[in-house]
Amino acid sequence: MLVDSHCHLNDLDLYPLADTLLEEAQASGVCTVLVPGYDRASSLRAIALAERFTDVYAAVGFHPQDAEQVTERDYDDLAMWCRHEKVVAIGEIGLDYHYDHVPRDVQQQVFSQQIALAKRMNKPVIIHDREAHHDVLETLRATDAAAIGGVLHCFSGSVEMMREAIDLNFYIGLGGPVTFKNAKKPVEVACAVPAERLLVETDAPWLAPVPHRGKTNKPSYVRLIAEHIANLRSITLEELGTQTTANARALFGLGTR
């Protein structure tokens, strides 16, 4: 059985199809799906999905691309949402320097404040890192995020960065890009990451794995990602599934809520 540790069933294109998508996922061996929020509306939809489906859990948070809109009320509500029995993490949060639409200092401030809140609420964090590797690691160090840990989702860094992240008590989430023909760093990381620190994810509806690249991603495709990583590591799908499911349960407390 597999856990899709990062799936946006709260995306407006997927949300109305949740019943069908979760049935397909279960038929593919996916036992649990974690749905992260990225703004107020998506966080509330994540909670609604977790309330509706036994094997769906939620994370709540504010994406760096929305950092300029985050208010004190949002932090208060984030703390309130974290008290929900099926909210297992704060995220996705982090830094995104790809477009530079939001000033970097604003992103860093909101990122740091959400980590501080996660520490107060004793929740792990789900990190979005796009072209911001150095500053993400520096922020994790400066805020002592190791105290709660979390996952660098859709990891795009090097093996060296992966090792630094693990030293900071973080897991490594790998998704569709590890299957891409031109993948280099994700493949290197998939082969080198310690088994007890690996998570698999889809990031649906984006980043669908081969042979569905360019199409809408969905939680059942986490099996394709897991199969590919298992082949890279020369282990069986069952071995990889057992380990990554245990890792997701250890990090997020899945199945205990």
Side-chain angles (χ1 to χ4, degrees):
M1 300 297 282
L2 295 162
V3 172
D4 185 350
S5 63
H6 197 106
C7 176
H8 291 292
L9 281 177
N10 51 353
D11 179 82
L12 289 176
D13 288 334
L14 298 190
Y15 191 65
L17 308 173
D19 289 273
T20 300
L21 292 171
L22 289 169
E23 286 176 10
E24 291 178 0
Q26 188 174 33
S28 295
V30 181
C31 62
T32 305
V33 174
L34 176 54
V35 180
Y38 41 87
D39 59 14
R40 171 176 292 274
S42 64
S43 293
L44 291 172
R45 288 194 296 271
I47 294 172
L49 286 163
E51 289 176 339
R52 187 172 157 202
F53 299 102
T54 302
D55 297 322
V56 172
Y57 293 83
V60 292
F62 294 92
H63 192 281
Q65 291 180 350
D66 294 309
E68 284 186 298
Q69 284 75 51
V70 177
T71 66
E72 286 304 315
R73 179 200 165 195
D74 290 322
Y75 292 119
D76 291 342
D77 287 346
L78 193 56
M80 177 181 67
W81 300 334
C82 281
R83 297 185 181 95
H84 192 287
E85 64 177 358
K86 292 194 73 181
V87 170
V88 298
I90 288 184
E92 62 184 277
I93 64 175
L95 301 174
D96 191 319
Y97 293 171
H98 181 69
Y99 296 111
D100 267 347
H101 290 162
V102 179
R104 295 184 178 187
D105 61 329
V106 174
Q107 291 189 43
Q108 290 163 3
Q109 179 185 18
V110 172
F111 184 25
S112 296
Q113 286 189 248
Q114 289 186 92
I115 293 174
L117 177 59
K119 289 170 68 177
R120 291 199 300 273
M121 304 304 296
N122 194 31
K123 301 285 184 182
V125 286
I126 299 171
I127 305 299
H128 173 99
D129 166 22
R130 191 172 188 190
E131 299 175 22
H133 299 335
H134 176 270
D135 285 357
V136 163
L137 289 178
E138 285 302 301
T139 302
L140 296 180
R141 291 190 186 97
T143 57
D144 189 27
I148 45 168
V151 56
L152 273 71
H153 111 87
C154 198
F155 186 78
S156 59
S158 65
V159 170
E160 291 73 24
M161 182 187 175
M162 174 267 289
R163 291 176 178 144
E164 290 186 71
I166 290 172
D167 286 344
L168 291 169
N169 193 27
F170 275 75
Y171 290 73
I172 303 299
L174 294 178
V178 76
T179 72
F180 295 173
K181 184 178 179 180
N182 60 349
K184 182 179 178 183
K185 285 184 180 179
V187 169
E188 292 173 348
V189 169
C191 294
V193 60
E196 67 275 10
R197 285 284 158 169
L198 173 63
L199 298 178
V200 289
E201 61 172 79
T202 59
D203 201 20
W206 305 288
L207 297 175
V210 172
H212 306 288
R213 185 176 182 181
K215 300 178 182 178
T216 299
N217 202 357
K218 49 188 181 178
S220 59
Y221 291 168
V222 78
R223 184 185 183 98
L224 298 172
I225 295 161
E227 287 174 342
H228 190 80
I229 295 172
N231 287 335
L232 291 172
R233 295 174 70 91
S234 298
I235 61 175
T236 66
L237 174 62
E238 289 74 19
E239 289 173 311
L240 185 115
T242 297
Q243 181 67 66
T244 55
T245 296
N247 295 346
R249 288 174 174 165
L251 175 59
F252 298 118
L254 306 180
T256 64
R257 299 163 189 267

